[in-house]
Amino acid sequence: MTLVHKYGGSSVATTEKIQAIAQRLAQLRQQGHRLVVVCSAMGKTTNRLIALAKEVNPTPSKREMDALLSTGEIQTVSLMAMALQALGVDAISMTGFQSGFITNAVHSKAFIKEINTQRVEQYLQEGKVVVIAGFQGITEDGHITTLGRGGSDTTAVAIAAKLGCSCEIYTDVDAVYTVDPRIYPPARALQKISYDEMMEMSALGAGVLETRCVELAKKYQVDLYLGRTLEEERKGTTVMSQPVFFEDMPVTGISIKEHCAIVTFRHMEYNAGTAASIFALIARNNLNLDMINQTILDGKVAFSFSCSDEQAGELEAHLKEDPDASALVLDIRRDLTQLSLVGVGMATHTGVATQVFDTLARCGIPYYQITTSEISISFTIDPQNKEKAVQALAQAFHL
């Protein structure tokens, strides 16, 4: 049976940790499993590389940053292959482009266009453990790219989808929890969660799995497991196609997204092209939006959305350089926290929103922009109210 394992940066932060993982992989290989191992950069390597870049150029190009940052994962997979070889296991390391990952040309946020697994499958047939650098690929004309935040998770799920096997992601987190246990210690570890719920929680701030990797897992029906590295018992979380549904539990968990901004374009003329022009501007700058609202009053339009503080700053800078945006009146409210309650049970339960906002009102917590989907309710609050709001809502919904 073929397995894909992915190990995060904290799991491979030292050579001792790499050697311990190699011993576990050697055991699996002896049991007859064919193994593909995807690794992140060691510990704080990516941060160190970014700091080095800033020392020589405060504003390095994204192309050169991709070339530099890709070396972090290459270092890890080379060491992992060496550690396996020292145990008598035939292993080979591969960069993202050697393993067939072809991407588009959006540096720092590239998307996978195709994966040619011919060489990977050849090495597996030869009995090798294939160790692949996560987070990276190459364009059709030969430029190194990186896949953005959580890119190694995306690499692992993508290769598992292509090989038609399961994917196990190992990190320093032992499971997906209903709520961040650092904020709400009674939070429960979830043994199972649906693709839809996990995708929603990831998109809305839960940092344990990146949204893109869950989206790929759902699309290609990859069995996805999240657990702690070298755990003695399998007690992590399985992400599955069918939801785990309990009729008395409309909410599965709470996601938290910090450093959010509400961006508002005010006093625009109301016509069919207003929203289209704003979206065109956003698309040109490759921004991801959330919580989109449009308000019309006295023939004037206010168009607002939420995004990260960083993206709001990028948009503000681009607007100053964009002649088509000179007439737009922009207002940015920064450093907010977005809370999101997620659960497939919301689709069949009434009164969830009432309970959410009654709870906030009783606690005296003001809230701002609100948006809903079939399985989520999201709103922004001031960051100093985060812990109070999370704890009150977790208790209200028995999380």
Side-chain angles (χ1 to χ4, degrees):
M1 183 171 86
T2 302
L3 295 175
V4 173
H5 278 206
K6 181 264 176 177
Y7 292 94
S10 59
S11 300
V12 293
T14 65
T15 53
E16 290 80 10
K17 290 184 175 183
I18 289 173
Q19 288 172 316
I21 291 169
Q23 289 176 347
R24 173 60 179 147
L25 295 172
Q27 292 171 358
L28 291 171
R29 186 70 193 92
Q30 287 174 350
Q31 294 168 12
H33 296 293
R34 303 197 317 168
L35 293 173
V36 174
V37 182
V38 176
C39 297
S40 298
M42 296 173 65
K44 302 294 184 181
T45 297
T46 299
N47 292 340
R48 180 176 58 81
L49 291 172
I50 292 171
L52 285 173
K54 294 295 178 68
E55 286 182 17
V56 298
N57 185 341
T59 56
S61 72
K62 290 185 177 181
R63 181 197 180 278
E64 297 307 325
M65 284 301 296
D66 277 0
L68 176 65
L69 295 183
S70 69
T71 64
E73 281 71 17
I74 294 171
Q75 172 182 271
T76 311
V77 297
S78 298
L79 291 170
M80 184 66 75
M82 292 176 192
L84 285 164
Q85 291 166 1
L87 297 172
V89 178
D90 194 3
I92 186 167
S93 66
M94 303 182 76
T95 64
F97 48 90
Q98 285 175 328
S99 51
F101 279 78
I102 306 299
T103 75
N104 63 14
V106 180
H107 286 288
S108 80
K109 301 176 185 176
F111 274 72
I112 301 166
K113 294 177 68 174
E114 62 177 293
I115 309 172
N116 183 344
T117 59
Q118 182 177 353
R119 295 177 72 185
V120 173
E121 293 184 78
Q122 175 188 331
Y123 291 137
L124 288 173
Q125 288 286 352
E126 294 172 1
K128 291 180 171 62
V129 174
V130 181
V131 191
I132 295 176
F135 178 63
Q136 62 188 255
I138 195 166
T139 65
E140 290 174 325
D141 53 354
H143 297 285
I144 296 171
T145 56
T146 62
L147 305 181
R149 184 182 172 217
S152 292
D153 289 355
T154 304
T155 299
V157 174
I159 197 74
K162 191 71 175 179
L163 296 175
C165 64
S166 63
C167 180
E168 300 176 7
I169 293 180
Y170 292 102
T171 180
D172 56 357
V173 176
D174 59 357
V176 178
Y177 280 79
T178 53
V179 191
D180 187 338
R182 293 170 296 183
I183 297 175
Y184 186 65
R188 292 179 291 105
L190 296 168
Q191 290 186 332
K192 297 179 180 179
I193 188 171
S194 71
Y195 288 128
D196 288 335
E197 287 173 316
M198 190 69 252
M199 197 155 44
E200 197 90 354
M201 288 182 71
S202 296
L204 296 170
V208 289
L209 286 172
E210 184 56 33
T211 310
R212 284 168 64 184
C213 88
V214 183
E215 182 182 8
L216 282 172
K218 178 185 177 182
K219 183 175 181 180
Y220 296 102
Q221 293 296 289
V222 174
D223 292 333
L224 183 59
Y225 173 81
L226 173 76
R228 190 188 296 277
T229 303
L230 301 179
E231 60 187 352
E232 294 183 6
E233 298 178 42
R234 190 179 175 92
K235 51 187 177 182
T237 302
T238 300
V239 186
M240 50 187 264
S241 58
Q242 295 300 318
V244 183
F245 181 75
F246 297 99
E247 203 158 18
D248 61 342
M249 289 183 61
V251 177
T252 298
I254 300 175
S255 288
I256 304 165
K257 187 184 291 186
E258 300 188 87
H259 305 298
C260 296
I262 297 177
V263 179
T264 304
F265 294 92
R266 302 187 184 279
H267 311 304
M268 298 184 296
E269 295 296 328
Y270 175 53
N271 58 63
T274 300
S277 63
I278 297 296
F279 279 117
L281 174 68
I282 290 162
R284 286 198 297 273
N285 294 291
N286 296 307
L287 299 181
N288 294 319
L289 308 188
D290 194 8
M291 303 177 75
I292 301 169
N293 292 302
Q294 178 177 279
T295 305
I296 303 170
L297 183 64
D298 297 329
K300 295 290 185 179
V301 174
F303 182 87
S304 64
F305 55 85
S306 63
C307 62
S308 69
D309 283 340
E310 181 182 1
Q311 288 180 319
E314 290 177 4
L315 178 62
E316 190 173 31
H318 287 305
L319 283 173
K320 293 177 182 178
E321 302 171 358
D322 193 329
D324 296 334
S326 58
L328 295 173
V329 179
L330 180 66
D331 174 57
I332 301 177
R333 183 169 186 167
R334 291 181 167 85
D335 197 27
L336 297 172
T337 296
Q338 179 180 305
L339 299 186
S340 303
L341 285 80
V342 177
V344 293
M346 288 188 193
T348 56
H349 277 71
T350 59
V352 176
T354 300
Q355 189 173 357
V356 169
F357 297 112
D358 279 352
T359 300
L360 295 176
R362 284 197 305 273
C363 295
I365 298 173
Y367 48 87
Y368 308 113
Q369 208 166 17
I370 302 168
T371 189
T372 64
S373 74
E374 189 178 31
I375 64 170
S376 69
I377 298 171
S378 301
F379 52 91
T380 48
I381 60 173
D382 295 310
Q384 63 267 27
N385 291 323
K386 176 186 69 176
E387 291 192 12
K388 185 178 179 181
V390 168
Q391 291 168 2
L393 290 166
Q395 290 172 3
F397 289 96
H398 309 289
L399 301 176

